[in-house]
Amino acid sequence: MTMMTPPPLEQQEDEEILVPHQELTEGPQPMEVLSAETANALESQQVEDPPTFKYRWTIENFSRLNAKKLYSDIFYVGGYKWRVLIFPKGNNVDHLSMYLDVADSATLPYGWSRYAQFALAIVNQVHGKYTIRKDTQHQFNGRESDWGFTSFMSLSELYDPSRGYLVNDTCVIDAEVTVRKVIDYWSYDSKKETGYVGLKNQGATCYMNSLLQTLYHIPYFRKAVYHMPTTENDMPSGSIPLALQSLFYKLQYSDNSVATKELTKSFGWDTYDSFMQHDVQELNRVLCEKLEDKMKGTVVEGTIQHLFEGHHMNYIECINVDYKSTRKESFYDLQLDVKGCRDVYSSFDKYVEVERLEGDNKYQAENHGLQDAKKGVLFIDFPPVLQLQLKRFEYDFMRDTMVKINDRYEFPLQLDLDRDNGKYLSPDADRRVRNLYTLHSVLVHSGGVHGGHYYAFIRPTLSDQWFKFDDERVTKEDAKKALEEQYGGEEELPQTNPGFNNSPFKFTKYSNAYMLVYIRESDKEKIMCDVDEKDIAEHLRIRLKKEQEEKEHKKKEKAEAHLYTIIKVARNEDLIEQIGKEMFFDLVDHDKVRAFRIQKQLPFNHFKEDVFKEFGIPVQFQRFWLWAKRQNHTYRPNRPLTPQEEAQSVGQLREVSNKTHNAELKLLLEVEIGPDLHFLPPPAKTKEDILLFFKVYDPEKENLRFVGRLFVKALGKPTEILSKLNELAEFPPNEEIDLYEEIKFEPNVMCEHIDMRMSFKSSQLEDGDIICYQKSLTSANRSQFRYPDVPSFLEYVRNRQVVHFRSLEKPKEEDFSLELSKLFTYDDVVERVARQLGVDDSSKIRLTSHNCYSQQPKPQPIKYRGVDHLLDMLVHYNQVTSDILYYEILDIPLPELQGLKTLKVAFHHATKEEVAIHTIRLPKNSTVADVINDLKTKVELSRPDAEVRLLEVFYHKIYKIFPPGEKIENINDQYWTLRAEEIPEEEKSLGLHDRMIHVYHFTRDSNQNQMQVQNFGEPFFLVIKEGETLADIKIRIQTKLQVPDDEFSKWKFAFISLGRPEYLQDSDIVSNRFQRRDIYGAWEQYLGLEHSDTAPKKAYTTNQNRHTFEKPVKIYN
């Protein structure tokens, strides 16, 4: 989806901002914003595959690049020249910026255009599955010849060598570009081409659109929705049944794509929810549960269960005694493993796989004690509509994050769940039911774990013709697109780029099936029933017909807009209503006054008749003033219309008054009312008469209000109208007052005192000027008020800012709000926050600014008095102003803390199985030895004279032993763990030929058809002696780790270099393997202990990364 305005501030971090690469300099920049899910595709309708090319760019000495931006070599796709553009230090952001660029844009003819879908990736050279890849698409043209991601990935992550994106200071970038024929998006008619219409994307709702299309194309479900009771008094935005009926009706009968805003409003979602990309499975369950609840007590009660509910039996059966425990459970969808399974059948095999309960894991059988048993699941019955959720997203314990599984996974057009003599069925299953299913729809996710795009392939009538429902766009597709191309896995393409190595390399397919919907053959006729207008309630048909007529009326108005002028008429009543409530500066908000839509050829005098009908003011008592925008950006009444102008047509008058040529004419209606409340003719206006507007300020109530307007003589003085002003303000007749002229408020407030002894002309007052006045205050009185005079009050109003404060520990939850001034100093702000939190010492408050792009706290907090004013805390990259700040309450004053370095150190006890996290605070010029000495005072050592060392551990590998003399100022514990441990005695007395090697635990992970080493657990050092065999070393390792014999016998041992294991035999001399000195990093050569990771996850983390947060799907109504 494409939007012309940025998403709301609450959007999640991974909703990427895409812009042309224009360098982000001062002032607002034009930008086009897309969420992480990409824009609606302008897909080619060609049958043959569009040209695709995969390009790899290897950049050496990356961290030493000085250029602000860097271009790759040119490569060709679809006959066009392309190149990749990067900003190595960010395009004025703290992220790597990366774009695809049309290489020859400067020489292309006027009006050129080309459309491409593309993906850009930073390759993780240590663990390929952590490669960061982002997809989008764009129609390139002369104005936007490059497109991509300003915030591709954080610079701190990119430049951290331990993360794997820079290896030997080399960065590898992949680009995959598909060039498609450009079909005019606006001229493509989905209904005409396919007979179906799409759903509009609200921001990040493609996941919902794909699910809704799938449910809509199950006719039995659609019919049940139509039969849910609703009334003409219901509002779609407050009724889920009515909103869904309305949506389905429009999908069935509309010629254009359908909006989903009414439905999401009925969910109780705000705009923020619509910009959160959620999970299809979660939404499916929540929506079905909600509909099931709404259907209770109606004619369609039980429809959801009838369509989607199946049952399985969990059983535990003892092997040696006659005891069996069973439990029946229902399901609406089944979650099938993708990892380690080649297709749907192997997932079902795994689902019903029997688990043996024996040894330490025996089953406690009632009346039989601990028994060997087998445990499993079998299906009692399957539903008519079978929804299979493919587990494409899994939790990676090693990385402590979710990852997407892009492995190849096949699914059949026909699914036989009775195969192999009904091996999936329980003994209680009804074998007369034939569980043969046909594929109805395939929901696809394209992208990574933090975002992407959803769309669906559906067979609405179960014919051979597939359709792709991609938000607003529906296209015909062949079966290959819907099936094989959505299996996932890898694709191998030859690298043919000139000057680069031509060996083939593999690319992961990031678009793959995520949910499958099958319909049982025996229920096909019932499920795929006819649905027509008689199924739709009459009130719904009438309501939707009326909506359509209103839509046509608005369309007609828009088409005829050039024949009309909008006249906005401001009156005294508008000024009284608005000033002091909705606005303080200038006189009126023209968008909130009465607007008339008048034909341009109509004489203006005829328009005055309309005014009479609307306001009851006879034509002869109306006088209209034109407004003018002044050079200081204020907007004031300028002059009255002349009789000659009033004789013109509305269109002519608008052109005279409006140099910006928009369709509006803004007027002030002047009406004079006598003491008897009767209308009076407008007074004669000469050059000596000045029309002034008056506001009164009350410093006690901090209130400003409009009290009226007066004509004054240019040579007259304010003293001559004092009694009138007191009367307007309802002051005593002889009250002394002070007058101020409100001059401007942008960029700063300008409000100057008026000398009562000078004439209005001498004070340079003219028609439309504003005078604010108040009772005169003595110097003693002034101290009673926060804002004692008009200038100080207007300054306050101009700079007041409501700031929303959140605890840094809960950065998505608003805690409290304060009204502050943008001119408040750093001390003012923290003092107000401390007062709010009940903290006596405001220097213990630390604040952190908000990143408007990532919607997260900035990585670095604000230093003590590091900014001058509140405004400096809220401005983001000199462009966007936030209204969010994060706070922490420190245990010591911030100035003192800033002089210290804080490190989190995990201490591993030498003899006990425990890890304790300690916070060490020391002066920044301290050394590692100081850290160790401080730590010794806090921990229990095995011996008083034990020596302690500090290690750097990252992803279960030891990267460094810190020298005692190293300064701690540059140690960063944000990404890795600092581990402290006692130095074993054997390491203190190394012999001449002894070696200290790294020893790591690992498992083999079948990832993307390759067996990949995955480390886990606690790494350690081991001293090996020359000639020592593996058998000898195994004894020492088992003793050190205290592993039981039966478990240790299953362990394998390997010499691992650069991720490649070489398995060892007991007789192998281990020291012979550790001879190489030329490898990059000692941690890449180690003795590996292969076994399963059975240890429970530790409940601590020293990683200080700020996490992203994701709201669960909630339907509130």
Side-chain angles (χ1 to χ4, degrees):
M1 59 83 205
T2 305
M3 305 177 300
M4 295 312 292
T5 54
L9 286 178
E10 287 294 319
Q11 87 191 57
Q12 76 186 86
E13 180 175 9
D14 285 277
E15 284 184 358
E16 182 58 64
I17 292 181
L18 290 87
V19 295
H21 92 262
Q22 51 194 310
E23 294 167 37
L24 305 177
T25 52
E26 295 180 19
Q29 297 290 319
M31 68 166 62
E32 185 165 0
V33 180
L34 284 77
S35 71
E37 57 181 65
T38 54
N40 291 318
L42 309 178
E43 290 183 16
S44 165
Q45 294 301 294
Q46 60 200 26
V47 175
E48 70 274 11
D49 288 338
T52 297
F53 185 75
K54 308 215 173 154
Y55 171 79
R56 175 158 285 188
W57 183 16
T58 303
I59 310 170
E60 297 178 346
N61 302 317
F62 191 83
S63 64
R64 292 193 283 279
L65 293 173
N66 292 319
K68 184 177 181 183
K69 57 184 177 182
L70 192 68
Y71 289 98
S72 72
D73 287 342
I74 293 171
F75 54 92
Y76 291 81
V77 191
Y80 299 134
K81 294 181 180 180
W82 304 89
R83 58 186 174 178
V84 177
L85 163 64
I86 65 165
F87 287 70
K89 300 294 191 292
N91 186 3
N92 291 331
V93 294
D94 54 2
H95 285 66
L96 175 76
S97 304
M98 183 153 58
Y99 312 88
L100 179 66
D101 177 58
V102 175
D104 54 349
S105 60
T107 60
L108 291 173
Y110 179 78
W112 67 271
S113 175
R114 64 184 66 161
Y115 172 73
Q117 292 174 302
F118 62 94
L120 300 172
I122 297 291
V123 176
N124 190 302
Q125 300 164 61
V126 177
H127 294 290
K129 70 176 182 177
Y130 300 138
T131 291
I132 295 177
R133 170 187 165 116
K134 295 188 178 182
D135 307 69
T136 186
Q137 48 207 317
H138 186 58
Q139 189 160 332
F140 294 82
N141 53 53
R143 189 172 62 86
E144 293 173 350
S145 61
D146 47 51
W147 195 254
F149 305 87
T150 296
S151 298
F152 187 86
M153 68 177 293
S154 70
L155 296 176
S156 58
E157 187 174 15
L158 172 64
Y159 283 94
D160 180 350
S162 63
R163 302 294 286 229
Y165 299 104
L166 284 187
V167 173
N168 292 332
D169 206 17
T170 296
C171 180
V172 178
I173 294 172
D174 281 346
E176 179 179 355
V177 182
T178 301
V179 176
R180 296 186 179 272
K181 289 180 182 175
V182 176
I183 291 180
D184 184 1
Y185 178 80
W186 303 109
S187 68
Y188 181 80
D189 187 333
S190 291
K191 186 71 172 245
K192 183 180 173 183
E193 298 294 331
T194 66
Y196 301 102
V197 297
L199 290 168
K200 291 177 181 173
N201 194 316
Q202 285 188 53
T205 55
C206 56
Y207 71 98
M208 181 180 72
N209 290 351
S210 57
L211 176 65
L212 289 173
Q213 288 282 16
T214 303
L215 293 173
Y216 168 80
H217 286 290
I218 300 172
Y220 191 96
F221 180 87
R222 190 192 330 158
K223 187 186 282 261
V225 167
Y226 283 151
H227 283 261
M228 292 176 74
T230 54
T231 72
E232 61 269 22
N233 297 323
D234 292 343
M235 289 301 295
S237 58
S239 163
I240 293 174
L242 183 57
L244 203 54
Q245 287 172 349
S246 173
L247 183 83
F248 282 5
Y249 181 90
K250 290 172 185 174
L251 281 174
Q252 192 161 347
Y253 294 106
S254 175
D255 292 330
N256 302 303
S257 56
V258 179
T260 57
K261 281 188 179 176
E262 276 186 350
L263 182 65
T264 55
K265 277 184 183 175
S266 77
F267 291 170
W269 288 5
D270 56 18
T271 312
Y272 170 55
D273 288 289
S274 296
F275 277 97
M276 288 291 294
Q277 191 173 88
H278 292 300
D279 180 275
V280 170
Q281 177 188 350
E282 193 179 359
L283 176 66
N284 188 23
R285 286 184 176 175
V286 173
L287 180 59
C288 284
E289 283 171 12
K290 194 62 69 170
L291 287 174
E292 187 179 337
D293 185 54
K294 301 282 184 186
M295 288 177 176
K296 282 177 182 172
T298 74
V299 294
V300 288
E301 181 173 1
T303 298
I304 300 295
Q305 295 98 314
H306 175 70
L307 278 177
F308 303 117
E309 187 177 50
H311 299 89
H312 50 53
M313 177 187 76
N314 293 292
Y315 68 87
I316 300 177
E317 186 175 1
C318 293
I319 295 170
N320 301 317
V321 297
D322 184 17
Y323 182 84
K324 186 175 183 178
S325 168
T326 62
R327 187 177 74 255
K328 180 180 178 180
E329 290 184 352
S330 64
F331 63 86
Y332 281 6
D333 55 47
L334 292 173
Q335 291 194 60
L336 300 184
D337 284 334
V338 170
K339 197 174 184 64
C341 298
R342 67 178 301 275
D343 59 15
V344 171
Y345 287 121
S346 58
S347 294
F348 269 98
D349 291 344
K350 190 172 180 181
Y351 206 98
V352 301
E353 201 169 58
V354 177
E355 180 186 351
R356 305 281 293 194
L357 304 179
E358 54 193 10
D360 293 338
N361 197 27
K362 285 185 177 182
Y363 174 61
Q364 180 71 45
E366 193 174 339
N367 300 325
H368 295 285
L370 290 172
Q371 292 290 330
D372 290 342
K374 53 185 182 178
K375 174 184 176 183
V377 177
L378 289 170
F379 291 92
I380 299 169
D381 57 62
F382 292 104
V385 179
L386 180 62
Q387 300 181 110
L388 303 179
Q389 304 285 350
L390 308 184
K391 290 163 73 173
R392 286 283 181 190
F393 298 97
E394 284 193 359
Y395 187 74
D396 185 322
F397 286 97
M398 191 180 95
R399 204 181 182 209
D400 189 26
T401 188
M402 294 296 291
V403 294
K404 185 179 177 192
I405 309 299
N406 290 300
D407 298 2
R408 182 177 176 86
Y409 182 89
E410 299 177 9
F411 46 90
L413 194 59
Q414 280 211 317
L415 178 67
D416 186 357
L417 294 179
D418 289 334
R419 74 185 195 124
D420 293 353
N421 200 28
K423 66 178 179 178
Y424 306 132
L425 301 176
S426 77
D428 302 333
D430 185 350
R431 302 285 173 139
R432 294 170 299 175
V433 177
R434 181 75 175 95
N435 292 301
L436 180 65
Y437 286 83
T438 189
L439 185 61
H440 172 264
S441 45
V442 179
L443 276 71
V444 176
H445 177 264
S446 174
V449 69
H450 291 302
H453 188 52
Y454 290 92
Y455 47 89
F457 292 94
I458 302 174
R459 289 195 296 166
T461 62
L462 297 181
S463 69
D464 291 338
Q465 181 62 62
W466 286 87
F467 296 87
K468 180 181 178 184
F469 292 82
D470 188 353
D471 286 338
E472 298 182 36
R473 191 172 174 78
V474 186
T475 52
K476 289 182 178 179
E477 303 291 351
D478 58 30
K480 183 184 176 187
K481 278 264 178 71
L483 277 77
E484 290 113 275
E485 292 193 13
Q486 309 313 322
Y487 290 164
E490 289 187 329
E491 186 178 359
E492 189 174 282
L493 285 182
Q495 168 64 289
T496 56
N497 191 56
F500 282 79
N501 100 49
N502 288 322
S503 61
F505 54 93
K506 293 180 179 179
F507 279 82
T508 301
K509 290 182 178 179
Y510 287 87
S511 295
N512 36 55
Y514 175 75
M515 176 177 165
L516 307 172
V517 178
Y518 283 91
I519 291 176
R520 190 156 51 200
E521 284 282 350
S522 57
D523 294 295
K524 192 161 65 174
E525 284 189 24
K526 180 175 69 175
I527 302 298
M528 307 305 288
C529 57
D530 291 330
V531 184
D532 51 35
E533 280 220 358
K534 69 176 184 292
D535 291 301
I536 301 162
E538 185 182 5
H539 76 84
L540 183 63
R541 293 203 301 270
I542 293 169
R543 179 199 291 266
L544 295 173
K545 189 177 179 183
K546 188 178 175 184
E547 276 183 19
Q548 190 59 33
E549 287 171 355
E550 287 174 359
K551 194 173 176 182
E552 291 298 326
H553 178 67
K554 285 183 180 177
K555 191 176 177 182
K556 184 183 176 187
E557 275 193 355
K558 193 173 180 182
E560 295 175 349
H562 65 287
L563 302 175
Y564 290 83
T565 290
I566 304 298
I567 303 180
K568 292 185 173 179
V569 179
R571 301 180 299 143
N572 245 35
E573 289 83 347
D574 296 311
L575 276 62
I576 292 167
E577 176 64 29
Q578 293 185 23
I579 292 171
K581 300 181 183 74
E582 300 172 4
M583 58 185 299
F584 293 87
F585 300 99
D586 263 352
L587 291 172
V588 75
D589 180 349
H590 292 275
D591 289 335
K592 295 179 180 176
V593 303
R594 178 69 172 88
F596 297 81
R597 186 170 182 262
I598 306 296
Q599 287 189 355
K600 287 182 179 177
Q601 71 267 29
L602 193 75
F604 185 81
N605 282 319
H606 284 209
F607 161 69
K608 295 175 79 170
E609 293 289 346
D610 290 347
V611 173
F612 167 61
K613 291 173 188 173
E614 178 71 20
F615 299 129
I617 303 166
V619 170
Q620 66 270 27
F621 300 123
Q622 301 174 16
R623 179 158 66 187
F624 290 93
W625 289 66
L626 291 171
W627 294 77
K629 189 171 185 178
R630 298 181 175 180
Q631 286 186 335
N632 62 12
H633 303 293
T634 57
Y635 212 57
R636 305 287 173 80
N638 185 42
R639 64 176 179 83
L641 291 177
T642 65
Q644 293 82 1
E645 287 172 330
E646 290 195 0
Q648 293 178 338
S649 70
V650 168
Q652 289 172 315
L653 186 57
R654 197 267 300 165
E655 288 171 11
V656 168
S657 70
N658 192 340
K659 294 184 174 60
T660 57
H661 300 296
N662 65 29
E664 291 182 356
L665 172 61
K666 292 172 182 167
L667 298 174
L668 173 76
L669 173 58
E670 177 199 346
V671 179
E672 295 296 327
I673 299 177
D676 57 357
L677 301 181
H678 283 90
F679 295 116
L680 300 175
K685 165 98 167 67
T686 68
K687 288 185 179 179
E688 292 303 308
D689 296 310
I690 301 172
L691 179 63
L692 298 178
F693 294 80
F694 292 90
K695 302 177 185 178
V696 169
Y697 174 57
D698 182 345
E700 187 174 350
K701 296 178 181 176
E702 294 181 3
N703 167 257
L704 188 71
R705 60 193 173 92
F706 176 73
V707 290
R709 51 182 168 70
L710 292 174
F711 281 102
V712 299
K713 295 295 181 182
L715 297 176
K717 296 179 181 178
T719 51
E720 298 167 8
I721 60 167
L722 285 183
S723 60
K724 183 62 179 173
L725 293 181
N726 281 330
E727 180 187 336
L728 288 174
E730 298 179 350
F731 291 166
N734 297 319
E735 184 73 46
E736 289 189 22
I737 57 176
D738 291 326
L739 274 61
Y740 301 87
E741 182 192 358
E742 178 192 314
I743 299 171
K744 66 170 187 170
F745 54 92
E746 290 290 353
N748 302 305
V749 171
M750 193 170 177
C751 182
E752 295 183 349
H753 190 268
I754 294 175
D755 190 335
M756 305 277 262
R757 297 164 299 176
M758 291 176 62
S759 69
F760 293 106
K761 185 176 182 180
S762 300
S763 296
Q764 297 183 337
L765 292 168
E766 58 186 46
D767 283 327
D769 279 344
I770 300 170
I771 292 178
C772 303
Y773 64 99
Q774 67 179 92
K775 292 180 181 180
S776 298
L777 295 177
T778 64
S779 55
N781 287 349
R782 292 178 66 86
S783 61
Q784 298 176 28
F785 307 113
R786 284 202 310 167
Y787 309 105
D789 54 30
V790 173
S792 62
F793 176 72
L794 291 180
E795 193 73 54
Y796 154 70
V797 170
R798 173 70 181 81
N799 292 294
R800 67 181 169 184
Q801 172 75 54
V802 175
V803 181
H804 304 278
F805 287 90
R806 302 174 180 179
S807 167
L808 192 64
E809 293 178 357
K810 299 176 181 177
K812 284 292 175 185
E813 298 177 18
E814 184 174 331
D815 197 341
F816 59 89
S817 299
L818 294 176
E819 186 184 276
L820 308 171
S821 168
K822 293 174 188 172
L823 301 181
F824 270 13
T825 64
Y826 174 91
D827 289 348
D828 293 332
V829 176
V830 295
E831 191 277 324
R832 288 290 302 277
V833 174
R835 196 188 315 161
Q836 174 72 27
L837 296 171
V839 176
D840 294 334
D841 185 354
S842 63
S843 68
K844 290 185 178 179
I845 300 295
R846 179 162 68 175
L847 300 175
T848 300
S849 294
H850 179 70
N851 185 322
C852 298
Y853 298 137
S854 69
Q855 296 300 310
Q856 293 292 315
K858 288 187 179 178
Q860 298 302 324
I862 297 168
K863 291 185 177 178
Y864 179 73
R865 294 179 178 168
V867 295
D868 293 328
H869 299 104
L870 172 65
L871 183 61
D872 303 316
M873 301 180 187
L874 301 178
V875 171
H876 186 58
Y877 292 121
N878 299 319
Q879 289 186 332
V880 186
T881 302
S882 166
D883 62 353
I884 297 170
L885 287 174
Y886 304 87
Y887 71 85
E888 299 166 88
I889 303 174
L890 306 174
D891 55 354
I892 61 173
L894 180 56
E896 184 182 333
L897 179 65
Q898 284 180 184
L900 303 176
K901 175 75 173 179
T902 301
L903 296 174
K904 285 193 184 302
V905 179
F907 179 73
H908 291 239
H909 198 277
T911 57
K912 299 178 184 177
E913 277 292 317
E914 63 181 45
V915 176
I917 306 296
H918 293 276
T919 299
I920 308 292
R921 281 187 186 141
L922 292 170
K924 290 182 178 177
N925 60 356
S926 302
T927 63
V928 169
D930 297 323
V931 173
I932 291 170
N933 290 333
D934 186 76
L935 186 67
K936 283 182 176 180
T937 66
K938 300 177 178 179
V939 301
E940 179 188 347
L941 299 174
S942 61
R943 297 190 324 278
D945 62 341
E947 293 181 39
V948 175
R949 64 184 169 203
L950 190 66
L951 311 175
E952 175 186 295
V953 178
F954 184 68
Y955 284 152
H956 314 285
K957 293 181 179 180
I958 299 170
Y959 280 76
K960 182 177 183 177
I961 303 176
F962 287 99
E966 182 168 337
K967 299 283 187 185
I968 67 171
E969 186 170 5
N970 297 322
I971 294 178
N972 185 348
D973 63 348
Q974 186 174 5
Y975 300 114
W976 46 72
T977 301
L978 298 180
R979 184 172 107 190
E981 63 184 19
E982 292 184 26
I983 302 175
E985 286 301 314
E986 64 172 5
E987 292 182 24
K988 296 179 186 176
S989 52
L990 288 177
L992 183 62
H993 300 292
D994 294 346
R995 295 201 59 172
M996 191 166 75
I997 64 169
H998 293 241
V999 184
Y1000 304 154
H1001 304 269
F1002 77 97
T1003 61
R1004 296 294 294 276
D1005 178 31
S1006 176
N1007 180 51
Q1008 311 207 352
N1009 304 323
Q1010 294 179 0
M1011 291 296 284
Q1012 195 171 50
V1013 167
Q1014 293 221 356
N1015 297 105
F1016 66 91
E1018 297 296 348
F1020 60 93
F1021 291 116
L1022 186 72
V1023 174
I1024 59 171
K1025 303 184 181 299
E1026 188 174 18
E1028 195 172 18
T1029 64
L1030 177 64
D1032 301 327
I1033 290 172
K1034 281 167 69 173
I1035 295 169
R1036 291 201 286 128
I1037 289 176
Q1038 184 178 2
T1039 303
K1040 178 181 178 68
L1041 300 180
Q1042 298 180 335
V1043 183
D1045 290 345
D1046 58 339
E1047 184 183 334
F1048 194 71
S1049 64
K1050 302 173 188 174
W1051 288 23
K1052 296 179 183 177
F1053 294 77
F1055 168 72
I1056 300 181
S1057 180
L1058 298 172
R1060 289 185 292 273
E1062 186 181 329
Y1063 287 92
L1064 302 175
Q1065 303 299 318
D1066 282 358
S1067 58
D1068 287 341
I1069 307 296
V1070 176
S1071 58
N1072 291 346
R1073 308 298 175 116
F1074 289 88
Q1075 301 300 322
R1076 290 183 57 201
R1077 305 280 183 178
D1078 59 340
I1079 62 165
Y1080 177 72
W1083 57 86
E1084 291 298 358
Q1085 180 175 277
Y1086 59 90
L1087 178 62
L1089 317 180
E1090 184 182 4
H1091 59 98
S1092 58
D1093 181 8
T1094 56
K1097 297 302 292 178
K1098 287 185 168 55
Y1100 73 87
T1101 175
T1102 56
N1103 189 312
Q1104 302 304 301
N1105 272 325
R1106 311 208 181 206
H1107 298 283
T1108 57
F1109 291 81
E1110 193 169 306
K1111 286 169 67 175
V1113 176
K1114 289 181 183 175
I1115 296 179
Y1116 302 93
N1117 292 333

